Amino acid sequence: MPRILSGIQPSGQLHLGNFCGAVAQWVELQKTQAAHDSFIFVASYHALTTVRSADELRGAIRQIAIDLLALGIDPARTCLYAQHDVPEVTELQWLLACVCPMSLADKGVSFKDKVAKGFDANLGLYTYPVLMAADILAPQADIVPVGKDQIQHVEIARDLAAKFNHQYGEVFKLPAYRLAEGGDLLPGIDGQKMSKSYGNTIDPFQDEKPLRKRIMSIKSDSTAVDAPKDPETDPTFCIFRAVAGRADPRTAELERKYREPPAGGFGYGHAKQALFELLLDRFGAARARRAQLLADPGEVDRILAAGAAKARALARDTVDRARKACGLG
Ligand code: ADP
Ligand code: TRP
């Protein structure tokens, strides 16, 4: 059975883009896995490339873990851990860095993107794809479910695994990425890619009143209520479709109303109200679970500790084999 692994950075509040692009796949895929054979982690070392406040980082690590559990990550099926509790990945990062040509690292789009957004051009940010390769290769993952923006990183991981194996003999499995249905990046309230660093996110756990206000502020054009509208270019529709799913009858019904407004008209305000109601429905149970988890802080600590122990044992074994293969011991 292929092993699944993915991660998310604790660099801000989890948002609908993370959910639709990544977390929903993780929850779905864990059902097909044997107990504890799916690996999801909070990418705390990665967040250190951009987050500068220790308190903020500590808080965000816990919060993301709680949100993942609330959204359906099941510790009986998935090994959930914090990246910094598996320090073997930083050791493996070095072994991989030594087979990584500068030209491959130079191609990394995320370094250029983050620097363009004003983040520090630090060495951690530059070597980030090598750490991500270590995350994936240490527990010998086969499938890495991610959003489109992470494809290049998974391909770098695959390249580095192949280079190491070619040089020293078969140590690593070659991983492949997996995209969510549709595969497109979810737009934010401004129509750009929804991202923690763009200030355009929708938080599925936000309180109802500010959540409704947020949804009402999604960018829309000035087409009149009784005129046909193109759903494909409208962020409200794209978000609705990604959350409900393409096969959900509510998606087809909304699309029909865009294309052929009913008597009395159908405006963007109506579509936004439909999205608001969809979110309350879709995330109602997760919101309740999150409140319970917040009230029992020991629970998340126990889950993360158990997850780290399991991931660490696997990572240690791989790193030891990689060390031997390249002449260390
Ligand atoms: P962010 O860009 O908000 O910092 P992360 O880099 O932590 O998000 O991404 C965590 C996961 O969520 C990754 O698999 C990423 O591809 C996915 N993801 C992030 N933003 C989006 C989006 N707008 N649409 C689809 N998937 C996304
Ligand atoms: N780079 C990913 C992101 O920003 C997070 C991540 C770190 C990751 N290591 C990983 C994802 C390994 C998948 C596998 O979204």
Side-chain angles (χ1 to χ4, degrees):
M1 190 179 304
R3 181 169 288 159
I4 311 268
L5 173 139
S6 196
I8 176 167
Q9 293 197 60
S11 51
Q13 174 58 43
L14 185 149
H15 56 76
L16 279 184
N18 300 139
F19 177 77
C20 295
V23 181
Q25 293 193 74
W26 305 346
V27 172
E28 208 37 50
L29 286 168
Q30 72 180 350
K31 295 182 189 152
T32 62
Q33 294 300 105
H36 296 111
D37 207 22
S38 151
F39 293 78
I40 298 295
F41 67 96
V42 182
S44 42
Y45 282 143
H46 278 93
L48 211 49
T49 60
T50 55
V51 179
R52 288 290 167 255
S53 152
D55 286 341
E56 195 184 313
L57 183 58
R58 231 186 314 273
I61 294 167
R62 282 188 70 76
Q63 192 57 61
I64 293 269
I66 287 173
D67 291 352
L68 291 175
L69 291 166
L71 289 168
I73 293 297
D74 173 4
R77 306 218 138 262
T78 294
C79 179
L80 178 69
Y81 57 99
Q83 187 183 28
H84 65 279
D85 288 333
V86 184
E88 283 75 10
V89 293
T90 55
E91 187 179 355
L92 183 55
Q93 181 187 20
W94 183 254
L95 305 188
L96 296 172
C98 294
V99 295
C100 181
M102 286 290 283
S103 57
L104 187 58
D106 281 340
K107 280 192 207 138
V109 286
S110 93
F111 178 76
K112 289 171 210 149
D113 278 3
K114 289 249 166 72
V115 173
K117 280 184 210 157
F119 288 108
D120 263 8
N122 62 63
L123 202 55
L125 200 55
Y126 181 72
T127 58
Y128 167 122
V130 187
L131 178 59
M132 181 156 160
D135 296 330
I136 296 170
L137 303 181
Q140 303 277 358
D142 300 284
I143 310 271
V144 186
V146 284
K148 228 179 192 170
D149 56 324
Q150 298 298 319
I151 292 178
Q152 189 192 39
H153 292 149
V154 182
E155 286 176 343
I156 292 177
R158 195 180 167 89
D159 266 18
L160 294 180
K163 279 189 198 307
F164 192 98
N165 287 350
H166 178 72
Q167 186 69 42
Y168 298 116
E170 292 295 312
V171 173
F172 300 116
K173 282 196 194 166
L174 303 191
Y177 66 84
R178 181 188 192 275
L179 296 180
E181 176 201 77
D184 291 330
L185 287 171
L186 199 77
I189 58 167
D190 57 357
Q192 307 296 310
K193 176 207 156 184
M194 188 180 289
S195 172
K196 291 181 203 115
S197 38
Y198 291 167
N200 65 355
T201 59
I202 297 174
D203 165 9
F205 295 114
Q206 197 175 24
D207 288 337
E208 281 188 32
K209 223 170 147 189
L211 177 62
R212 186 168 186 282
K213 201 167 158 210
R214 188 80 173 157
I215 289 168
M216 290 300 158
S217 73
I218 297 174
K219 186 181 157 199
S220 45
D221 61 32
S222 53
T223 314
V225 286
D226 52 357
K229 298 165 190 65
D230 181 4
E232 295 297 332
T233 55
D234 179 52
T236 303
F237 179 79
C238 294
I239 297 171
F240 189 102
R241 180 173 60 189
V243 173
R246 282 169 194 255
D248 192 289
R250 290 171 294 185
T251 304
E253 185 193 335
L254 186 64
E255 179 167 1
R256 210 165 32 247
K257 287 180 176 164
Y258 270 72
R259 297 198 190 277
E260 300 157 27
F266 184 81
Y268 291 112
H270 297 110
K272 290 174 186 176
Q273 180 63 28
L275 175 59
F276 173 62
E277 287 166 16
L278 174 75
L279 294 185
L280 292 187
D281 177 46
R282 178 68 183 79
F283 295 106
R287 291 159 80 97
R289 255 198 314 270
R290 187 188 199 232
Q292 280 170 0
L293 287 158
L294 285 169
D296 182 6
E299 174 72 356
V300 63
D301 291 339
R302 281 190 291 278
I303 292 170
L304 290 175
K310 163 98 197 237
R312 240 194 131 167
L314 280 175
R316 192 65 257 162
D317 180 62
T318 310
V319 178
D320 284 345
R321 287 195 293 114
R323 285 170 62 110
K324 280 205 192 85
C326 63
L328 304 173

